[in-house]
Amino acid sequence: MDDRPMYMISVAAELVGMHPQTLRIYESKGLVRPKRTAGNTRLYSERDLERLRLIQRLTTELGLNLAGVELVMKLEDQLARAHARIDRLEREKREAVEQVHKNYRRDLVPLSQVTTLIPLRRNH
Amino acid sequence: MDDRPMYMISVAAELVGMHPQTLRIYESKGLVRPKRTAGNTRLYSERDLERLRLIQRLTTELGLNLAGVELVMKLEDQLARAHARIDRLEREKREAVEQVHKNYRRDLVPLSQVTTLIPLRRNH
DNA sequence: AGCACGTTCACGTGGCGTGAGGGTCC
DNA sequence: AGGACCCTCACGCCACGTGAACGTGC
């Protein structure tokens, strides 16, 4: 995702189909945090736009209010991290088993078979 | 958690500090599903009350609307299951390693040592 | 100078809680 | 018969989106 600040508020609002004032409200509630220029003009990155589109889905399609949006985004973040953890654990579990196998040498023989091996070697 | 239906609406509302009509609204939106008697009277279980208290926290303390409550409860359910999965995976990872160790017999000897074993056995 | 930016305030709509009215069950 | 249940409708409040007013930066 692209973090570079690119669009000022009118362009950003146009791109996501929202009222510029709405974007200001979202910022005042901490839902998006666009960068600012030296002259205090907001600059929205692609990541900000993506976040705005998510807010839009939650409010217009699902009917959440802004308090709900905030909590939902927090939970979705936690959920994403939990899923990442699950993927990592599954991989580590597989790798751990393989590693244990590798740590056992391939040329191991049961001690009980050693006596039967002796005759075989004497025939040489 | 106790699923047995126990309290009719006035008692349930009293117990959680809500208006009975509010409980009916929550049911109409699918947020709680109390059982009914043969005469169509709602009966709330302890689990239902717990759910009502959660809704109360989300609405009054955090300011969510009901759409938000619904989605948040869904996400919290998913999150709980993800955490359960993580716990299970961590346990399985540990057990898998132990199991691999067990599958290697304790009396294994490197094949290269077999020749050195032979003299030892001949001395008997 | 002009236009889009900034902030603050005002208005309208809609969601939600609360209550009342009227019917039904025990 | 009375009280608490059922459901539906109406009212009020608050959140949120929208716009206007006014000042500032490019």
Side-chain angles (χ1 to χ4, degrees), chain B residues 8-10 21 24 36 40-42:
Chain B
M8 52 194 220
I9 197 166
S10 63
Q21 197 63 16
R24 297 193 181 99
R36 301 280 186 129
N40 210 29
T41 293
R42 279 169 260 252

Side-chain angles (χ1 to χ4, degrees), chain B:
Chain B
M1 190 59 55
D2 199 341
D3 278 353
R4 283 173 303 173
M6 315 211 63
Y7 313 107
M8 52 194 220
I9 197 166
S10 63
V11 180
E14 176 75 21
L15 286 173
V16 299
M18 289 176 162
H19 197 288
Q21 197 63 16
T22 305
L23 270 58
R24 297 193 181 99
I25 292 176
Y26 290 173
E27 183 185 8
S28 75
K29 306 224 173 184
L31 297 179
V32 280
R33 306 185 187 283
K35 292 286 181 299
R36 301 280 186 129
T37 64
N40 210 29
T41 293
R42 279 169 260 252
L43 285 186
Y44 291 80
S45 67
E46 282 296 339
R47 183 191 295 272
D48 291 330
L49 297 192
E50 216 36 63
R51 203 166 169 84
L52 286 172
R53 284 188 261 262
L54 171 57
I55 298 174
Q56 193 173 40
R57 261 193 45 232
L58 294 175
T59 54
T60 68
E61 293 180 26
L62 300 181
L64 302 224
N65 63 11
L66 301 188
V69 169
E70 186 182 351
L71 182 50
V72 164
M73 293 200 302
K74 234 182 265 179
L75 287 175
E76 287 194 341
D77 185 61
Q78 288 182 33
L79 199 55
R81 266 183 285 162
H83 283 151
R85 177 106 189 268
I86 285 173
D87 290 345
R88 196 167 57 85
L89 273 172
E90 283 176 338
R91 184 175 47 75
E92 284 178 357
K93 183 176 148 190
R94 260 182 285 110
E95 289 176 356
V97 171
E98 286 168 20
Q99 198 53 47
V100 171
H101 280 292
K102 274 192 207 140
N103 284 345
Y104 282 89
R105 292 173 47 190
R106 292 256 171 60
D107 59 347
L108 292 181
V109 183
L111 182 55
S112 60
Q113 287 182 23
V114 168
T115 49
T116 70
L117 280 170
I118 295 168
L120 290 174
R121 299 185 75 84
R122 286 173 110 183
N123 284 345
H124 278 219

